[in-house]
Amino acid sequence: MSLPIECLFCKFVAGTLPTEIVGQNERAIAFRDINPQAPVHVLVVPREHYADVATLAAASPEALADVIALAQEVALNEADGEYRLIFNSGPLAGQSVFHVHGHVLGGKKLGWNPA
Ligand code: 5GP
Ligand code: ZN
């Protein structure tokens, strides 16, 4: 795999750019979204760079399991374990950072308006 040196989330993983880390495990880290869409809005990313969730699932199911376990842990800590976990895949779906990330959203009654 080529080194994604221009990847923002790789820089958060490496610690070369600061961000507020709210949880981590062997293969994943969690940090707050800079533009929160809910009282709890945390991004959970694998430490290794993959573009999207399907690529991650095919290449490293263990890392995907760690991403999901960390999302659950963050939600238990911050939103009583009730949350939405979203992976945008592709620009049309709203993906703007191509290092796979799950959005953990919670802390209020969530609506359903993906438009
Ligand atoms: P996407 O649109 O790819 O699904 O999600 C990317 C997310 O990354 C957005 O919700 C956006 O607010 C967040 N984001 C973009 N730049 C930064 C940043 O510099 N720091 C943090 N913490 N989040 C960011
Ligand atoms: Zn990356």
Side-chain angles (χ1 to χ4, degrees):
M1 193 182 352
S2 63
L3 192 60
I5 48 174
E6 293 309 322
C7 174
L8 178 65
F9 291 176
C10 279
K11 290 177 180 169
F12 292 160
V13 169
T16 54
L17 266 185
T19 193
E20 187 188 349
I21 307 274
V22 297
Q24 51 187 304
N25 60 25
E26 187 179 345
R27 299 182 189 84
I29 69 165
F31 52 90
R32 293 200 193 283
D33 197 290
I34 202 170
N35 182 23
Q37 302 299 312
V40 176
H41 188 171
V42 169
L43 302 176
V44 182
V45 310
R47 293 180 187 272
E48 278 198 84
H49 181 97
Y50 298 101
D52 56 43
V53 69
T55 309
L56 172 64
S60 182
E62 304 85 359
L64 177 57
D66 271 7
V67 166
I68 291 172
L70 186 54
Q72 169 78 7
E73 186 183 316
V74 168
L76 281 169
N77 288 340
E78 303 204 9
D80 296 327
E82 299 191 27
Y83 63 106
R84 188 170 294 160
L85 179 57
I86 294 174
F87 294 90
N88 293 327
S89 293
L92 208 55
Q95 187 175 9
S96 61
V97 178
F98 291 85
H99 180 136
V100 55
H101 48 283
H103 295 256
V104 180
L105 294 158
K108 70 169 187 180
K109 172 81 175 149
L110 296 174
W112 186 247
N113 179 16

